[in-house]
Amino acid sequence: MPHVYETDGPAIYRESFSIIRREAELERFSEEEEPVAVRMIHAAGLVELASHIHFRGDAVNRARQALERGAPILCDARMVSEGITRKRLPADNAIICTLHDERVPGLARDMANTRSAAAVELWRPYLDGAVVAIGNAPTALFHLLNMLEAPDCPRPAAIIGCPVGFVGAAESKEALWESAPVPCCIVRGRLGGSAVTVAAINAIADRAE
């Protein structure tokens, strides 16, 4: 006997978001933050993620305004850069991931750091007013925060900082939250990941669900 299941894509999205809004605790989010949080929860498949999502400094509006001005999106991993839906971007924004740049291995050796951190060094020409999307590597977020301690380092418009994992992920996000060099969004603890980060960027880029 054939399986019976929902085959209408838009209907699946509508019902998914309806379930999230029934089951997740979303009351503390602002009108602008709530759709972004819902998208992030949807990407994780975990309504409990709501309690881990935090926004600071009007991050959603600041990131959205930057994208509308044509700011680039700086990504720590290909899983992030490839997941962003181009047609949702308001200004044909450049999506930049420097992780596989040929200079990165040598730079990582010189820095005695990871390739992910070295790749962030190559963001300097693009950093001013950019939207940063870190969904994989805690070392990328830590190194960016170290860079931003320098007064002459260009400032991004906002950081979506949701690296995932067991070593440094929770700590890097707490460091971002505590230092707050620019408006930001984090997923506290070990949770996060590329899909969650991409969901936040896509929701910020286009309000349509």
Side-chain angles (χ1 to χ4, degrees):
M1 188 172 181
H3 295 284
V4 178
Y5 57 93
E6 178 62 71
T7 59
D8 185 300
I12 292 170
Y13 271 103
R14 287 193 298 271
E15 180 60 18
S16 296
F17 296 148
S18 177
I19 290 169
I20 291 168
R21 289 189 167 100
R22 285 200 304 270
E23 296 186 4
E25 296 181 3
L26 304 171
E27 295 79 10
R28 64 186 177 83
F29 297 115
S30 72
E31 183 178 352
E32 295 296 325
E33 294 165 354
E34 190 259 12
V36 180
V38 167
R39 277 272 182 177
M40 295 169 76
I41 293 164
H42 179 257
L46 185 70
V47 295
E48 292 81 7
L49 191 74
S51 64
H52 299 266
I53 299 170
H54 297 272
F55 298 91
R56 186 166 196 158
D58 200 22
V60 172
N61 283 324
R62 292 288 295 275
R64 182 171 288 144
Q65 290 162 6
L67 293 180
E68 290 170 350
R69 291 194 299 267
I73 304 169
L74 306 181
C75 306
D76 69 320
R78 283 275 181 88
M79 287 182 68
V80 177
S81 64
E82 294 302 315
I84 295 169
T85 304
R86 270 61 177 173
K87 68 180 181 180
R88 294 182 72 93
L89 298 176
D92 194 25
N93 306 75
I95 300 172
I96 299 170
C97 178
T98 54
L99 184 61
H100 298 286
D101 187 289
E102 63 183 9
R103 295 169 289 177
V104 165
L107 188 56
R109 287 193 296 271
D110 293 343
M111 293 170 56
N113 208 329
T114 66
R115 290 176 59 208
S116 295
V120 173
E121 272 294 319
L122 302 181
W123 290 359
R124 290 183 185 272
Y126 315 105
L127 198 54
D128 189 21
V131 175
V132 171
I134 296 178
N136 182 64
T139 58
L141 182 52
F142 271 129
H143 189 65
L144 176 61
L145 293 175
N146 286 342
M147 287 168 52
L148 292 174
E149 288 184 0
D152 59 345
C153 181
R155 290 290 190 272
I159 299 171
I160 310 302
C162 305
V164 64
F166 298 92
V167 179
E171 293 83 355
S172 67
K173 290 176 283 190
E174 287 303 317
L176 170 59
W177 188 258
E178 292 300 322
S179 61
V182 298
C184 64
C185 169
I186 67 167
V187 174
R188 277 203 157 109
R190 295 172 173 175
L191 298 173
S194 296
V196 170
T197 303
V198 165
I201 292 292
N202 286 337
I204 289 167
D206 188 343
R207 290 179 173 86
E209 291 189 341

